[in-house]
Structures are given as C-alpha cells and as structure tokens.
Amino acid sequence: MPAETAPTVFRAGPGFAALLRLELLLALRRCADIANPLLFFVTVLALLPLGVGPEPELLARMAPGLIWVVALLATLLSQESLFRSDFEDGSLEQLTLCPQPLYFAVMAKAAVHWLVTGLPLALLSPLLGLMLSLPVEGYLCLLISLLLGTASLSLIGAVGAALTVALRRAGLLLALIVMPLYVPVLIFGTGAVQAAVDGYAYGAQLAVLAGLLAAASALAPLAAAGAIRISLDN
Amino acid sequence: MAWEWFHRLGSPRWFYHKTGAWLPWLALASLVLLAVGSAWGLGFAPQDAKQGNSYRIIYIHVPAAFLALAGYYIMAVSGAIGLIWKMKLSFVVMRAAAPIGAALTFIALFTGALWGKPTWGTYWVWDARITSMLILLLLYIGVLALSRAFSREQVADRACALLALVGTVNIPIIYKSVDWWFTLHQPASIKLTQSNSIDPSMFYPLLTMIAGFYCFYAWTLIAHTRSLVLQREWRTQWVQQALGEGS
C-alpha cells in the first residue's frame, strides 16, 4: 500500500524521528546546557556532607533521598529552557501548524531532555552513591529507579515548562507548580532504593515507577501540547 | 424546556441576578448550622474516652479537610467545563474556588497541628495524610500563582484550568493515603457503606458541622464568583445598571 493512503496518525513516525534527530543535534551542539545539570548535581551532593556532617553511617542512611532530591532539582532547573528558545524564535508556533499532532513534538523534546539530563544523571548516580557511602545493595536499584523516574520527571516538567513559556522570569513559578506533581515519583523512587538497601524486594516500587512513566508518557505530552497552545495566545 | 435554567446558568449576567436572592438563605443556613453544630459539638457531645476534650477539634478539622478536597474537584471540574465548552462563567467559578480551597486546606492543616500536640505530643509529623494535605495546599497555591502571572485574563483562565486538571492526579492519592499507609493519622471514621466507627452522640454534631461547612462553602463561592463577575464585566451595560441600582 502506498504511503499516501495511510492515515495521518501513522505518518507521525517520520516527523517524530526527524524532530528527535534535530533536537538531539541542537542539544549536543550546546555542550554547556548538558554539562550544567550534571555539574549542579555533583556540586550540591558534594556540599551536602559539608552541611550534615561526613559520618559514613549518617550519609549512607540519607543517600537515597539526597541523590533523588538533587536529581529532581537538577531536572527542574534544566527544564525551564525546554521550549524557551523555540518560543522566542517562533518555531514553536510553526510546530503547532504542522500536520502531525503537537503531542509528538512535545514527546520528542521531552525525550531529548531526558537523553541529555536524566540519562547521564542516572549513569552518574552509582559514583555519587559511592561518595555518599551508599551500601552496595542499593546501586542497581538506584540506577534503575533513576532511569525510570527521571523520564517521568522530564515528561511532567514539560507540562509546567509549556504553561510558563510565555512568562518572563518563570523559573520560580515553574518550580512551584511542578514540584507537587513530582511527589509520587520521589516517594516511590526513594522507597525502592531504601527497600533495596534494607534488603527487601523492591520490584513493586519499580513497577509503580514504570506505571507512572507509562501514565506520564500517555498524558503529559497531551497536557503540554494544550499548554503550548494556551501560551501562544498570550 | 425544563433544562433552560441550566443553559442560562452559563451566562454571567443571569447568574449574577439569579444568585443574589440565594445568598441570604445560604448565609442563614450556614450560620444556623454552624452555630448549632459548634454548640452541640463543643458543649454537649460527650468526652472522648481516650482523648478527653481535645478531640473536639474534629468539629472544625474534619469538615474543613472534607471541603478542602471537594473544593479542589469543584475547581478542576469547573476548569474542565470551561476548557471543553468555553463557558466564561465556569472559569470564573474556578478562579473563585482557588483561594477558598487554599484557605480551607490551611485551616485543616492548622487545626490538625493543634490537635496533634495534645494527642500525639507533636505539632507536625511527616505522616502520609498530613504530607499529602500540604501538597494539596501547594497545588492550590500553584494555581493561584499561575493565575496572577498572566497579563491576559482568558489565557490565565485556560492555563489554570489545565494545571488544576493535571493536579487532580494527586487527589485520589490524598483521599486514600490514610487507608494505604497506616501511619500516625487515624483512618477515616465516617463511611457511607459500612457502619460508623464513631458514636451517634458525637457523629450527629459532626454531620451538622459538615452540612454547615458545605453551606458556608456554597455561600462564599457564590459571593466571590459574583464579585469576580462584576470585576470582569464592569464595562457592560448590565453591570453599570446593577451597580447603579445597588448604590
């Protein structure tokens, strides 16, 4: 069957792939934007032992929560610029005029955001776990939970970034409206690592994280696409 | 024909003229119910076997917490109606519901802290229910902050409605938190389907207070919506007329 007769929905694939490639290329050209969240992540975690004290037992108990909260903040900080430059140069408006649903454009942007912040952050986490003397049992679970969790965070944060893209100095407002929505991910992410450290099964928490990711990837791009259309009216 | 009143309710003008007559009755009902309920609950209901007199905070705490949650649904549902059917009035109701809901959530948290001190020996614990109420407060504040951030009223309406809808994902978690995580907070005492775990002599004053709070909520919501309607439509002729008659 020739491609022209295929329904519009099925033709979204090539557009999605092209946008994903373009966004990834753009992100890789701006190395500082990739390095900044990671440096923030490492710097804050280096400051924390100075603040709470360097005792290994204390740090080991707090490590899952500390790593997760700092990962959340690093994601949040990098999220503000998700749609910003596209909004300012007008290409966001062009995207809304494309025949493919805006859903896929948001999905591509969130995916690239995760690839350049969430993924390196998760890969870096065992090293930081080592620095915070996290017990060995927790490493695998920390890595998996961050891989699943930061993807949800990228998607949920895209809604907030889309809502505030038309506003000047949106950083704090974005934090205020997105943080409460991050809570379930944080609860189950730290819960999984804590369970792993204590020697319990942590499959259930990871399953919930995967469920949250499934729900977020179905709903968050829809909400973000709606929010972009609202923001473009302002 | 019978549904005509329902369609008319969507017009700000009709709403303003119709609900003016409801306000005194709602005010009367809520004041009577709250007066009777608080006198009954605070003065005449028996002391609790375990908690003594301190349990009486329940008569403020539980109705406020009920309406803090119900108010979020009212805000989100009216926002959704506005987004779907582009009704001006339902956006106004949504905007009016946000500060009232935030205030009720704060009252629930504050009375909860006061109640926690004599019974648990602490003002604050990171218990599932308490934390999720704090998050509810943050959700309300997020909607309020977003509504102040936009310069154009219509854009702010739609953005807030979207944020309120996204936030509803958290509400069932709050509702169920007491049953799922059995921590310090007691599970819900009032159940519709099973028999209550609370004595009738304490339950009826609580029911009166809840009814009073619902009337009070309706009263403040309608009053606030009316004032927002006037603010938004002040250029129109009917508002000039309505205000001219009033003064």
Side-chain angles (χ1 to χ4, degrees):
Chain A
M1 187 180 280
E4 297 88 70
T5 55
T8 322
V9 183
F10 295 115
R11 266 187 279 159
F16 176 76
L19 198 59
L20 195 70
R21 204 177 307 124
L22 172 72
E23 288 291 325
L24 202 56
L25 195 66
L26 282 173
L28 293 176
R29 293 269 163 86
R30 291 180 308 232
C31 287
D33 283 7
I34 302 178
N36 284 347
L38 287 174
L39 284 173
F40 173 82
F41 186 56
V42 176
T43 318
V44 173
L45 280 178
L47 288 179
L48 282 168
L50 299 176
V52 300
E55 294 83 14
E57 313 85 65
L58 182 71
L59 285 178
R61 213 174 61 244
M62 293 170 66
L66 290 180
I67 293 175
W68 254 99
V69 168
V70 179
L72 195 149
L73 290 176
T75 312
L76 188 65
L77 278 179
S78 56
Q79 206 115 47
E80 200 202 330
S81 57
L82 189 60
F83 300 113
R84 176 75 57 195
S85 65
D86 278 356
F87 176 75
E88 278 164 1
D89 66 15
S91 41
L92 199 59
E93 205 152 3
Q94 297 300 316
L95 275 180
T96 62
L97 301 175
C98 281
Q100 74 160 336
L102 199 50
Y103 179 98
F104 292 102
V106 175
M107 197 65 174
K109 279 183 168 292
V112 170
H113 179 261
W114 178 75
L115 282 174
V116 299
T117 59
L119 182 64
L121 224 127
L123 295 177
L124 200 64
S125 65
L127 179 69
L128 294 157
L130 186 75
M131 284 165 68
L132 294 177
S133 48
L134 183 78
V136 190
E137 298 81 23
Y139 282 52
L140 182 64
C141 180
L142 181 68
L143 184 65
I144 302 173
S145 71
L146 276 174
L147 282 177
L148 288 171
T150 48
S152 304
L153 296 184
S154 288
L155 284 161
I156 298 168
V159 182
L163 274 173
T164 54
V165 71
L167 303 169
R168 283 189 191 82
R169 291 186 296 278
L172 276 175
L173 183 66
L174 175 66
L176 184 66
I177 63 178
V178 168
M179 286 286 211
L181 304 173
Y182 278 174
V183 169
V185 178
L186 181 68
I187 289 175
F188 290 104
T190 51
V193 183
Q194 200 63 59
V197 169
D198 295 341
Y200 295 111
Y202 52 84
Q205 282 95 326
L206 289 185
V208 173
L209 276 181
L212 287 175
L213 176 58
S217 44
L219 299 174
L222 272 182
I228 286 173
R229 291 187 195 282
I230 292 170
S231 288
L232 287 173
D233 273 1
N234 195 30
Chain B
M1 276 299 271
W3 284 92
E4 203 179 340
W5 65 272
F6 187 75
H7 293 295
R8 277 200 192 144
L9 209 55
S11 126
R13 178 185 179 177
W14 195 84
F15 177 87
Y16 184 82
H17 287 304
K18 205 69 187 169
T19 52
W22 301 356
L23 282 183
W25 295 105
L26 276 172
L28 185 72
S30 61
L31 289 178
V32 167
L33 282 169
L34 288 177
V36 170
S38 43
W40 193 359
L42 300 181
F44 297 99
Q47 276 197 14
D48 188 72
K50 282 187 215 148
Q51 301 182 7
N53 273 323
S54 69
Y55 92 94
R56 294 184 197 277
I57 296 175
I58 200 176
Y59 295 114
I60 308 289
H61 177 70
V62 167
F66 256 48
L67 274 163
L69 282 164
Y72 194 90
Y73 277 123
I74 289 175
M75 183 174 77
V77 168
S78 51
I81 292 173
L83 277 184
I84 296 166
W85 288 291
K86 313 234 182 308
M87 273 169 68
K88 261 194 284 183
L89 187 68
S90 81
F91 280 133
V92 184
V93 172
M94 175 196 75
R95 294 285 284 275
I100 303 172
L104 283 167
T105 315
F106 179 75
I107 291 172
L109 278 169
F110 187 74
T111 53
L114 289 183
W115 193 8
K117 188 64 183 169
T119 46
W120 301 337
T122 172
Y123 285 115
W124 184 262
V125 282
W126 290 100
D127 149 272
R129 170 55 62 93
I130 303 176
T131 311
S132 49
M133 280 307 273
L134 182 65
I135 289 157
L136 180 68
L137 182 63
L138 292 176
L139 285 172
Y140 272 124
I141 293 176
V143 173
L144 278 173
L146 191 67
S147 72
R148 301 273 191 285
F150 285 96
S151 49
R152 281 184 56 199
E153 207 77 29
Q154 288 107 323
V155 181
D157 282 344
R158 283 156 61 204
C160 287
L162 197 112
L163 182 62
L165 274 178
V166 173
T168 47
V169 177
N170 271 12
I171 306 299
I173 300 177
I174 301 173
Y175 258 124
K176 281 285 155 198
S177 61
V178 171
D179 302 321
W180 289 345
W181 292 285
F182 191 85
T183 43
L184 205 49
H185 200 285
Q186 64 199 45
S189 305
I190 304 168
K191 296 181 187 74
L192 284 177
T193 46
Q194 298 151 32
S195 62
N196 292 314
S197 63
I198 180 168
D199 191 73
S201 60
M202 297 174 181
F203 179 59
Y204 290 126
L206 181 59
L207 216 55
T208 316
M209 284 302 274
I210 291 173
F213 262 77
Y214 265 96
C215 287
F216 178 74
Y217 184 84
W219 174 26
T220 45
L221 183 65
I222 291 176
H224 194 186
T225 308
R226 280 165 59 89
S227 73
L228 286 183
V229 163
L230 285 189
Q231 259 177 41
R232 287 189 178 199
E233 312 263 314
W234 66 275
R235 267 181 254 261
T236 59
Q237 208 176 4
W238 71 265
V239 171
Q240 309 279 355
Q241 272 175 4
L243 292 183
E245 283 164 21
S247 61

